[in-house]
Amino acid sequence: MSNHYPFVLAELPYKYDALESVIDRQTVEIHYGKHHQSYVDNLNKILEGMPYLQNKTLEELMNSEVAAIKNNAGGVWNHNFYWQEMKGGEEGEISVDLGKRIEKKFGSLVEFKALFEKNALGRFGSGWGWLVEDNEGELEIMSTANQDNPLSLGKKPLLGIDVWEHAYYLRYQNRRAEYVGSWWKVVNWEWVGKR
Ligand code: MN
């Protein structure tokens, strides 16, 4: 897939109802087909009038000082990531390597999940909760506002949960904790482990 203008909506790696155990079909349809698509369309619309930015990568555009570029580029990147890191079917198991690193850093997988959830719930308003790796390969849990991305802070996302209301409102309404707590069932650990 091309990583510069014109950007295209990345293919959804499964059917709309594949995540039904946690995220209902209509939410995926709207979240992917409307919200994610809008970030792609808005970014292209802005860049249409800025030829000197048309060869910039998504990652470069995420660092733009122009808020509309930064927000929409982040929206595209974050949602590409979000759909890839999930899967339908049986609940997956964390890879041995990542499991060991998580245990070393956070004590256990259970303690890690609790911290990750607490962090995602603590994000006021719209944003994302992340597990990231810094330059030294150290794991860290953090959150960002809006469509900001840890890459802009020199940290590599390994796992990220969208906690904008549009990600969960139809099924969970105001119960963000229930969405975040259920979300583990659809994490594609195999994909995450490969990062
Ligand atoms: Mn979203």
Side-chain angles (χ1 to χ4, degrees):
M1 196 179 63
S2 127
N3 195 27
H4 56 76
Y5 174 89
F7 292 97
V8 292
L9 182 64
E11 214 172 299
L12 193 68
Y14 34 73
K15 296 198 172 129
Y16 288 132
D17 61 1
L19 309 174
E20 191 70 41
S21 63
V22 178
I23 304 171
D24 58 285
R25 179 197 173 101
Q26 198 187 4
T27 294
V28 176
E29 272 174 0
I30 297 172
H31 196 179
Y32 171 74
K34 305 286 183 199
H35 291 277
H36 191 177
Q37 180 77 63
S38 301
Y39 294 120
V40 173
D41 293 345
N42 290 338
L43 184 59
N44 284 334
K45 217 173 286 168
I46 297 166
L47 295 180
E48 199 183 341
M50 302 177 130
Y52 51 96
L53 291 181
Q54 290 179 358
N55 61 352
K56 297 277 185 205
T57 65
L58 202 49
E59 288 80 7
E60 288 170 330
L61 294 167
M62 276 157 38
N63 289 323
S64 173
E65 281 165 23
V66 180
I69 295 177
K70 175 187 157 147
N71 291 338
N72 285 294
V76 175
W77 196 103
N78 291 347
H79 289 85
N80 287 348
F81 184 89
Y82 183 66
W83 302 121
Q84 291 286 332
E85 73 179 332
M86 296 189 287
K87 67 171 193 66
E90 297 273 294
E91 185 169 349
E93 261 187 50
I94 193 161
S95 72
V96 177
D97 272 9
L98 183 58
K100 277 188 189 151
R101 291 177 64 196
I102 281 179
E103 269 172 39
K104 192 165 166 234
K105 177 76 187 186
F106 303 104
S108 68
L109 186 58
V110 172
E111 284 168 281
F112 158 71
K113 284 182 175 175
L115 271 176
F116 184 91
E117 289 176 28
K118 191 174 165 210
N119 167 74
L121 296 176
R123 165 50 54 191
F124 184 78
S126 297
W128 292 72
W130 303 97
L131 170 68
V132 299
E133 185 182 82
D134 69 15
N135 285 334
E136 272 92 53
E138 191 79 16
L139 297 179
E140 188 190 327
I141 290 173
M142 63 177 292
S143 74
T144 56
N146 305 315
Q147 296 298 353
D148 291 356
N149 185 290
L151 280 174
S152 306
L153 304 166
K155 295 168 198 267
K156 179 185 169 183
L158 301 183
L159 191 67
I161 184 165
D162 188 345
V163 291
W164 284 56
E165 283 187 344
H166 67 225
Y168 61 86
Y169 206 83
L170 289 180
R171 179 177 286 180
Y172 300 96
Q173 287 89 45
N174 60 323
R175 305 186 307 278
R176 185 190 280 189
E178 211 178 300
Y179 156 68
V180 174
S182 314
W183 185 69
W184 302 109
K185 282 186 223 153
V186 290
V187 169
N188 185 349
W189 284 114
E190 201 188 336
W191 185 84
V192 173
K194 282 184 188 143
R195 288 184 61 80

